[in-house]
Amino acid sequence: MGYTAASLGIGLLIELDRQEKAKQAPPPTVEYLPPVEPIKTIEPPPFKFASREDEDLR
């Protein structure tokens, strides 16, 4: 019976100590990042069909 009462008492003291430390701790700081600029995409040239006048690029 004594072991159970001591275990509960120590558990209670530990929890009260943890709550007291949580009250004293400063709030976490929040770091805001600058806004991200959208990535600029390069558009490919418009598609055109090959013709007989095109040179062979080999």
Side-chain angles (χ1 to χ4, degrees):
M1 181 91 168
Y3 178 78
T4 304
S7 295
L8 290 174
I10 291 174
L12 180 61
L13 289 174
I14 290 173
E15 181 63 24
L16 291 174
D17 185 51
R18 186 187 65 77
Q19 288 177 359
E20 187 64 31
K21 286 182 181 177
K23 290 178 186 176
Q24 295 174 356
T29 58
V30 178
E31 182 178 337
Y32 294 100
L33 299 175
V36 179
E37 294 181 14
I39 299 173
K40 297 177 183 174
T41 58
I42 300 173
E43 293 187 25
F47 178 80
K48 73 174 195 179
F49 289 99
S51 66
R52 293 184 186 264
E53 288 80 34
D54 290 343
E55 293 182 16
D56 190 13
L57 299 175
R58 290 189 226 175

